[in-house]
Amino acid sequence: MKAIQWHDTHITILNQQALPHKTEYLELKHIEDVWDAIVTLKVRGAPAIGMTAAYGLALAAQSYETDDLATFHTELKRDRDYLASSRPTAVNLFWALDRLTKSVANATSVNEAKTTLIHEAICMQIEDEDVCRRIGEHALSLFQDGDRIMTICNAGAIATARYGTALAPFHLAKEKGITLHAYACETRPVLQGARLTAWELSEAGVDVTLITDNMAAQTMKAKHISAVIVGADRIAANGDTANKIGTFGLAILAKAFNIPFYVAAPLSTIDLQTKTGDDIPIEERAKEEVTHIGGVRIAPDVNVYNPAFDVTPHELITGIITEKGIIFGDYETKLPTLFEEVLA
Ligand code: MRU
């Protein structure tokens, strides 16, 4: 079963909050369920958030009772804005909602628009699988058999339609009989590395070693890490990249050890409207994510700062791997060229 699946009356998602203890699928029947699933990280990871929101918008639109196109567009805009309010950092959310909204701009009837929304959302999921496979192929060209590669968070199959972005080379290497060793940072406070990446890669038969986040420097040194590869939530026009909290620290360490640091992401994560990393909104989440682990309090009730993401400056990024190929440096000039064919 896929991590996200459209059905005519609902969407099913793999509950990423229940992993690795339980493989549980949830039925999202209303737009509020979709919003809640995104906010509470039952579905997470930039492409997965975008796809789920797209399906959520298509689902909501099916229940509009009007035959009037202007009313339909007003209701669609209201629901688009509601879903867009779920999380601020991953640009894929806004990209997906806007792509869906645009797909019905020229619809000639409400019925046609309703069908088009479903079709467009399904197309996005089909495309994402192909995009991730291409990212994986490009990423794999950077690695050698036996490499030891560090990652953080989960930019894997469950965060996309299939394969993942930063985890795509591990899945493809496995398919091709190449051995890559993954070193997964646990990713405090929500533990996407420990709960999700360790689970996803071990289920796929990939050799994965789990470390806590504060072991990264020692691991790079002692285990001769060959490269770091991470996903992204938003890449600004100059290449500055927002990704899971802890990514920036890994990039600094990689620089200190002279290890290449790669970002793997689809074009839908590149936001040319956002000039630099300083313009990327960084989500701050509830203090309980830090003061508690698995519902158990581990800290007194003190002030907590809990940014869910950080921004890695472009100077620390060796290369950005997309479905269109790999860019090495000079991102400001080269990122727009990736879109030329798409825009033409
Ligand atoms: O808060 P999350 O778990 O949604 O954060 C996810 C990440 O930071 C991922 O690395 C990113 O979205 C890429 S997923 C292919």
Side-chain angles (χ1 to χ4, degrees):
M1 185 114 107
K2 288 181 174 169
I4 305 162
Q5 184 124 29
W6 169 261
H7 303 270
D8 287 335
T9 53
H10 61 276
I11 308 155
T12 47
I13 58 155
L14 174 65
N15 181 3
Q16 298 197 34
Q17 283 289 25
L19 288 170
H21 312 295
K22 242 191 328 180
T23 307
E24 171 186 272
Y25 289 87
L26 302 174
E27 288 189 1
L28 312 180
K29 294 185 175 147
H30 306 284
I31 190 169
E32 293 81 9
D33 303 338
V34 174
W35 187 88
D36 179 75
I38 295 172
V39 170
T40 58
L41 312 181
K42 293 186 180 80
V43 58
R44 45 132 313 271
I49 293 170
M51 287 183 286
T52 307
Y55 280 136
L57 190 60
L59 184 69
Q62 305 310 306
S63 63
Y64 301 166
E65 282 174 354
T66 184
D67 283 332
D68 174 50
L69 265 174
T71 311
F72 177 89
H73 285 299
T74 307
E75 294 187 19
L76 194 69
K77 165 88 172 63
R78 177 200 61 207
D79 288 344
R80 178 249 169 244
D81 291 349
Y82 171 62
L83 287 168
S85 72
S86 56
R87 294 191 76 190
T89 305
V91 76
N92 304 61
L93 171 66
F94 313 102
W95 171 85
L97 290 169
D98 291 342
R99 175 169 160 178
L100 229 66
T101 307
K102 276 189 205 135
S103 74
V104 293
N106 298 319
T108 53
S109 73
V110 167
N111 273 347
E112 180 197 321
K114 287 181 178 179
T115 313
T116 302
L117 288 173
I118 298 172
H119 177 79
E120 191 70 11
I122 292 172
C123 279
M124 280 173 51
Q125 189 170 17
I126 293 168
E127 282 170 28
D128 191 61
E129 178 170 338
D130 181 56
V131 159
C132 287
R133 192 177 170 97
R134 285 168 197 265
I135 289 172
E137 296 281 3
H138 293 304
L140 203 49
S141 73
L142 297 164
F143 304 140
Q144 312 288 322
D145 196 27
D147 272 359
R148 292 160 306 283
I149 302 162
M150 187 174 285
T151 189
I152 188 166
C153 195
N154 173 271
I158 57 173
T160 60
R162 201 177 164 192
Y163 300 111
T165 55
L167 297 192
F170 297 98
H171 288 295
L172 289 186
K174 184 76 199 167
E175 270 182 33
K176 293 171 196 276
I178 299 165
T179 303
L180 294 183
H181 304 281
Y183 283 81
C185 296
E186 70 168 348
T187 321
R188 274 281 284 150
V190 179
L191 304 175
Q192 290 94 332
R195 295 189 302 104
L196 307 176
T197 294
W199 172 81
E200 176 181 322
L201 291 182
S202 60
E203 287 284 304
V206 174
D207 178 64
V208 56
T209 301
L210 179 64
I211 59 167
T212 64
D213 301 323
N214 51 356
M215 295 171 187
Q218 170 62 14
T219 306
M220 283 182 186
K221 187 173 165 215
K223 298 293 178 184
H224 307 288
I225 294 296
S226 332
V228 178
I229 188 167
V230 299
D233 287 84
R234 192 185 298 225
I235 301 173
N238 69 345
D240 291 352
T241 295
N243 190 50
K244 181 51 55 195
I245 192 72
T247 303
F248 180 20
L250 284 189
I252 294 169
L253 291 179
K255 174 100 178 161
F257 285 106
N258 208 16
I259 293 169
F261 180 91
Y262 298 111
V263 170
L267 264 53
S268 52
T269 302
I270 300 169
D271 179 10
L272 297 179
Q273 311 309 317
T274 297
K275 290 206 156 31
T276 76
D278 290 342
D279 306 311
I280 301 177
I282 299 296
E283 178 182 11
E284 287 185 35
R285 295 186 59 88
K287 65 192 286 191
E288 288 73 23
E289 286 185 353
V290 177
T291 55
H292 292 64
I293 296 183
V296 178
R297 179 176 276 284
I298 51 136
D301 191 13
V302 292
N303 294 332
V304 167
Y305 172 50
N306 182 17
F309 302 96
D310 57 28
V311 175
T312 301
H314 60 273
E315 311 85 65
L316 295 179
I317 300 171
T318 312
I320 297 180
I321 306 160
T322 74
E323 66 270 34
K324 293 279 209 78
I326 309 169
I327 293 179
F328 299 96
D330 193 13
Y331 301 114
E332 194 144 16
T333 314
K334 292 179 189 163
L335 284 173
T337 66
L338 295 174
F339 292 88
E340 276 165 11
E341 225 176 278
V342 176
L343 294 175

